[in-house]
Structures are given as C-alpha cells and as structure tokens.
Amino acid sequence: EFAEISLRDIDDIAKSSFPMCMRHLFEKLREEHHLKHGGRMQLGLFLKGVGLKLDDALAFWKAEFSRKVGAERFDKEYSYSIRHNYGREGKRTDYTPYSCQKIISSTPGVGDHHGCPYRHFSEENLTAALSRMGVNSRAVGDVMNKVRNKHYQLACTLTFEAVHGSSCDSGINHPNQYFSDSQIIMK
Ligand code: SF4
C-alpha cells in the first residue's frame, strides 16, 4: 500500500508512473471530461489502489464531469458509483482494482476507452502512443513483436523497461504493480 497521492500531483504521476491503459483513460478524461462506465470502473478502481482517498476521488471526477454534464447531474448520477467503488454504498464491498488479465479480456465498444492498449489499439495508434511515452524506435519494434504474438503483458513489461531504463524481472501482471514498481524507481 502506498501513501496517499495528492490531487495536485496527479498529472505528473500519471505521466511518470501510470501504465498505458491508465494513461489513456486519464488523458481521455482530461480531454473529453467524461468516460463511459467501463472506463470509470477501470480507472476509478486503479486510482483507489494507488492511494487516492474517497474525498479526493469525488473532487477529481467532479472537476471533469461538471464541465460536461454539470455539477448537479454529477452529484445525482455519478457520485454514487464512486462511493460504491470505495465500499460506501450498497453491499459495502471493498472492490479491488482490475488485473491485466481482466482488462485484456474485456471487450471495449465504440466510444469506450477502457481495455488494454496492447490488445485493443490498432498498430498505428499503439505505435503513436508508445512514442508519446518516450519509447525509442528500436524498443517500439520489440514491443510490436510481442503484440503480434499476443504477448500483451510482455509488451507492457518491455515498455516499462524502456521508459524507466531499468529491468522488470517479475513482468507486469497488474496495473497497480506497474505503478508501484515505477514509484520505487522514481523515488
Ligand atoms: Fe494495463 Fe496490464 Fe495492459 Fe499494461 S498489460 S497496459 S498494465 S492492462
């Protein structure tokens, strides 16, 4: 478990330590001020896992969604499910963040931004996303080879290694593991 992350630092932390699946959702949320249900679940539970407290989570989602649907509609339609994810509503289950396996086997539809980019992006979009993360062209080639062989988590592991200039012997099997391994290197 990590110490609380503060809302002030969240954009920097997203850039330095989020795996591509979460970076993509984060950027789309900032851009479109909205995410569909699958994206809200995947990113919301991840953020909970990295240590975003409930009050900060509500403030974070509200700041974006208010710009699209208004604050009132956010409070009415969206805040419940965020509290629900934190076990404060309904059956009060403390929901856990999704693993890579679960994300890779999801089936995002049109307009959805959840899923695993290594599995669900076109080659063109994936290559562009890798360059934006600062992965050099030789490493991009290695990543794309893994993707063509359907080794998505290995592709993500190679990306981690390229971005951090450091090996990741355990491999990536959970987005929150990617995050915590990254934070150890960044600190
Ligand atoms: Fe996210 Fe896992 Fe896919 Fe990496 S392999 S992008 S952590 S779902």
Side-chain angles (χ1 to χ4, degrees), residues 102-155:
K102 182 174 170 90
I103 293 170
I104 288 168
S105 60
S106 68
T107 49
V110 178
D112 278 327
H113 297 299
H114 66 275
C116 173
Y118 302 98
R119 165 77 176 83
H120 296 114
F121 276 16
S122 67
E123 283 209 9
E124 200 186 349
N125 286 348
L126 182 55
T127 307
L130 287 164
S131 315
R132 279 202 305 278
M133 285 177 83
V135 179
N136 69 46
S137 55
R138 193 176 53 84
V140 170
D142 294 342
V143 169
M144 297 313 289
N145 273 334
K146 296 292 181 205
V147 167
R148 286 185 200 109
N149 290 309
K150 302 191 192 310
H151 294 311
Y152 308 115
Q153 288 170 238
L154 287 178

Side-chain angles (χ1 to χ4, degrees), residues 19-22 42 99-101 103-104 115-118 152-153 156 172-175 178:
M20 196 195 285
C21 54
M22 300 303 172
Q42 184 177 309
S99 66
C100 291
Q101 216 182 355
I103 293 170
I104 288 168
C116 173
Y118 302 98
Y152 308 115
Q153 288 170 238
C156 189
I172 298 298
N173 53 58
H174 199 293
Y178 184 111

